[in-house]
Amino acid sequence: MADYSHVKATKLVLKGLNKGKKRKHKDKKKKAGDGEEKADIIGGWWAISNFGEISGTIAIEMQNNAYIHALDSGLFTLGAPHKEDEGPDPTEQFTAVKLSDTRIPSRCCRIALKSGYGKYLGINSEGLVVGRSDAIGSREQWETVFESGKMALMAANSCFISYSESGDIEAKTKTAGDGEMVKIRSGAEQEVKRKDDIIEEDRGNVKSCEVNYVKKFQSFQDRRLRVNEGDSSMLKRARTDGKFHEELLDRRSKMKADRYCK
């Protein structure tokens, strides 16, 4: 018996038992978790991904947690890095004003930026970013460039902003490399995207849906909202049977207040 004390004990494995099933299941869970993109939010400030999201108070991040910082001299520098859960300082916050007209290609995706000192950011003859203008001119217009999930900001001299070795914010490079990549972060409340495909008019109970469609299609000649006051049980049944919109149309046509109905 003493000889058995030197034998290493192992778990009993039965023939035919597939040991790889659980591991495969875990791998699937891991892959599913990897597929979910983590929201890029720092201290309530989220990174925008397109021109349409630019609005109100923003901050421009040039390095990890380091933002463009306004000086009282009218110049700009790269601020000190913040903690991972800390947003930009007041001197690192700007007001974005959209200038673009989508009907005019030459004015696509352009904005103006106003600092906390009440001055608009522009570019001087030496390529330095300055904030000393009280109005928006050609030098105070900035073009946002989005490509492959990255963003750059182009000045009126057709150069992209970056920071120099001395820490000044400048626009002297015609091509956008890694040093010219920035993030615009918004302090506005982010709209929560719904995962379903249900349109807004179809949300809620049947009566609220009916009101939504009346507001959408009724011609308010006398500024009065006319809703069919009949029994809504037919609407509930129609919603279950997949004939909800047909029933709504029938109810509206009976009211004779909708020019889109027969």
Side-chain angles (χ1 to χ4, degrees), residues 69-241:
H69 182 100
L71 303 174
D72 56 8
S73 62
L75 296 176
F76 297 87
T77 187
L78 185 64
H82 291 259
K83 297 178 181 178
E84 293 184 358
D85 58 347
E86 187 178 53
D89 293 334
T91 49
E92 298 168 340
Q93 299 175 20
F94 306 93
T95 301
V97 180
K98 287 184 180 179
L99 304 175
S100 290
D101 188 336
T102 55
R103 297 168 297 180
I104 306 176
S106 62
R107 294 189 63 191
C108 178
C109 304
R110 292 195 177 186
I111 60 174
L113 298 168
K114 181 186 282 189
S115 72
Y117 294 103
K119 303 294 184 179
Y120 287 98
L121 278 67
I123 192 81
N124 66 11
S125 58
E126 298 176 355
L128 287 178
V129 177
V130 295
R132 295 167 181 163
S133 177
D134 294 319
I136 302 173
S138 59
R139 288 181 174 269
E140 286 74 39
Q141 298 185 27
W142 303 85
E143 184 173 343
T144 56
V145 180
F146 295 89
E147 186 175 339
S148 302
K150 295 183 178 181
M151 180 196 167
L153 199 58
M154 188 168 66
N157 61 356
S158 299
C159 293
F160 295 94
I161 68 167
S162 60
Y163 59 93
S164 64
E165 293 182 358
S166 59
D168 293 326
I169 306 301
E170 59 184 19
K172 298 181 179 180
T173 307
K174 293 287 186 180
T175 57
D178 291 339
E180 287 70 41
M181 294 296 106
V182 300
K183 284 184 182 179
I184 290 184
R185 293 192 177 275
S186 174
E189 184 177 353
Q190 190 173 19
E191 182 179 351
V192 179
K193 296 182 180 180
R194 300 180 185 270
K195 295 183 179 180
D196 54 45
D197 296 326
I198 301 175
I199 61 176
E200 289 299 324
E201 287 81 2
D202 284 348
R203 297 184 184 277
N205 57 41
V206 292
K207 290 300 292 183
S208 63
C209 290
E210 185 172 24
V211 172
N212 291 339
Y213 276 101
V214 169
K215 289 180 178 179
K216 184 175 183 180
F217 294 111
Q218 181 176 301
S219 55
F220 293 89
Q221 295 179 354
D222 56 358
R223 298 184 180 181
R224 293 181 62 185
L225 183 67
R226 291 184 172 88
V227 182
N228 194 311
E229 297 180 359
D231 188 9
S232 61
S233 59
M234 293 297 293
L235 284 176
K236 295 179 181 179
R237 188 180 306 168
R239 197 178 209 180
T240 305
D241 297 340

Side-chain angles (χ1 to χ4, degrees), residues 1-8:
M1 292 294 292
D3 295 335
Y4 288 103
S5 62
H6 300 288
V7 178
K8 183 179 180 181

